[in-house]
Amino acid sequence: MGPHPAVAAIRLAVRRVLHDILNDRPAPEADPHERPAAPLVLVACSGGADSMALASALAFEAPRLGIRAGGVTVDHGLQPGSGLRAEEVVLRLRELGLDPVEATAVTVGREGGPEAAARDARYAALDAAAERHGACAVLLGHTRDDQAETVLLGLARGSGIRSLSGMAAVSGGPGAARRYRRPFLQLDRQTARKACMVQSLPVWDDPHNADPAYTRSRLRHEGLPALEKALGKGVVEALARTAQLSRDDADALDAWAGQAESSVRDAAGLLECAKLYALPPAVRRRILRRAAIEAGAPAGSLFARHIEEVDRLITGWRGQGVINLPGKVVAQRQGGRLVIRQG
């Protein structure tokens, strides 16, 4: 008899991603005297149902494809006993047969709010672990439900289409454009929980996920259920589909902006306001955002309202002064040129 349908679904999702990872790797140079090292894939595991299901599937599938499987758990230090909890997760990952396995502690700052600060600290720790162990990829347990929540949060903030595109199935870290893989974006949270239950995998439910002080928690336990009550079942699936459609559109607009950027710069490399004005707003604002980031504005702190202010220097010029952007970057119009630089 085959595995339970939930277990089969998560294993299939992981198997597909592992095949993609192998296909992405450059072919090793042939050396008859040296056997090429097996690639290493890490799983980021909090001990919750999603990431434990992912870890178990990776432990099962990786050896069958000649891949080494390891794990990392990040201790954010935000709750009493978090260090002990991280040690328990390390033990569970080792029991699954993962190696190497480690717990890494981080200090969570305050910039951007508690959720964003914790996320930034977590990804920095995962990037460091991947570099330290020479991992070719890190698997993340985000589900279709997480994707739906991300789309709604972007919608509530009045963000652009890139925010509505949610989380990418493949995204990058410093120096690694395709480091992060999310195999479960087409699976719901309940499938992962069921897979853990039928495999008798112990899971830990983070109390922060039920704490109404956190925006995502309120959305999960109040907002989405209210939407499903008003609109019927299928809201999560529809939002996840919206994310993919938005991502396709955003990718196309990003490519257009990349091609158009050189045509709106003068010989000295400065942006020409008249040429920017002639572009469609969606393309123009992408060029402005990219210029602000290149000048030193942190991407995570650069919101739509910032870009709209800069855009008004082009579309609604009334002699405005300097526009202050995150990262001590300033934007101003000078003699028909848009100058974005460190202040």
Side-chain angles (χ1 to χ4, degrees):
M1 191 172 76
H4 186 278
V7 176
I10 65 167
R11 287 179 178 174
L12 177 59
V14 169
R15 190 184 316 138
R16 286 172 172 165
V17 166
L18 293 180
H19 277 294
D20 289 343
I21 291 169
L22 289 175
N23 289 335
D24 283 348
R25 284 172 56 81
E29 295 182 9
D31 186 339
H33 305 293
E34 185 177 345
R35 184 178 179 181
L40 171 66
V41 173
L42 299 176
V43 58
C45 186
S46 67
D50 302 340
S51 58
M52 282 301 298
L54 181 58
S56 71
L58 176 64
F60 181 85
E61 294 291 343
R64 288 160 173 77
L65 295 173
I67 294 173
R68 292 183 297 134
V72 180
T73 187
V74 179
D75 173 15
H76 297 84
L78 298 176
Q79 301 170 26
S82 64
L84 291 175
R85 175 66 57 190
E87 291 176 10
E88 289 177 9
V89 174
V90 166
L91 288 175
R92 291 175 188 173
L93 295 180
R94 285 182 176 147
E95 287 170 358
L96 288 172
L98 300 187
D99 181 50
V101 173
E102 69 172 47
T104 180
V106 298
T107 300
V108 177
R110 296 183 178 181
E111 186 173 350
E115 292 166 276
R119 182 178 62 247
D120 290 346
R122 179 167 60 253
Y123 277 101
L126 293 175
D127 282 329
E131 295 292 340
R132 189 162 52 250
H133 294 290
C136 62
V138 178
L139 305 189
L140 304 174
H142 297 120
T143 64
R144 187 170 62 192
D145 301 80
D146 296 310
Q147 185 74 298
E149 292 162 9
T150 301
V151 172
L152 279 177
L153 287 170
L155 187 63
R157 295 187 187 109
S159 301
I161 195 171
R162 176 56 71 188
S163 181
L164 299 186
S165 66
M167 294 175 284
V170 181
S171 59
R178 298 174 64 81
R179 170 170 289 159
Y180 292 106
R181 313 285 178 132
R182 298 175 175 86
F184 290 174
L185 287 183
Q186 303 302 318
L187 298 177
D188 61 29
R189 191 174 286 142
Q190 197 56 40
T191 298
R193 187 168 288 276
K194 185 71 172 178
C196 289
M197 186 180 72
V198 299
Q199 295 177 99
S200 299
L201 291 173
V203 300
W204 173 65
D205 291 315
D206 186 344
H208 281 175
N209 290 336
D211 188 343
Y214 294 93
T215 305
R216 188 178 284 269
S217 174
R218 294 195 302 274
L219 181 60
R220 180 174 301 177
H221 297 288
E222 301 172 25
L224 270 171
L227 278 175
E228 291 199 330
K229 183 177 180 181
L231 302 175
K233 295 294 183 181
V235 169
V236 167
E237 292 88 341
L239 288 168
R241 191 162 56 250
T242 296
Q244 185 55 58
L245 293 171
S246 298
R247 181 166 296 281
D248 292 342
D249 291 348
D251 287 346
L253 287 167
D254 284 348
W256 186 354
Q259 293 168 359
E261 184 171 359
S262 61
S263 69
V264 297
R265 290 187 181 274
D266 63 15
L270 295 176
L271 292 166
E272 298 188 62
C273 295
K275 291 181 179 179
L276 283 167
Y277 184 85
L279 291 173
V283 177
R284 180 175 62 245
R285 287 171 183 162
R286 278 167 167 74
I287 293 174
L288 298 180
R289 177 179 173 80
R290 189 176 304 176
I293 292 171
E294 288 175 354
S301 302
L302 197 59
F303 302 135
R305 68 175 187 273
H306 296 127
I307 303 305
E308 288 168 4
E309 285 187 54
V310 178
D311 196 39
R312 278 194 287 272
L313 294 176
I314 298 161
T315 62
W317 175 240
R318 298 291 185 275
Q320 299 97 310
V322 170
I323 304 295
N324 293 305
L325 301 174
K328 298 181 180 178
V329 171
V330 297
Q332 62 185 133
R333 181 165 173 155
Q334 294 179 336
R337 302 293 190 271
L338 185 69
V339 180
I340 302 177
R341 56 177 174 76
Q342 280 286 321

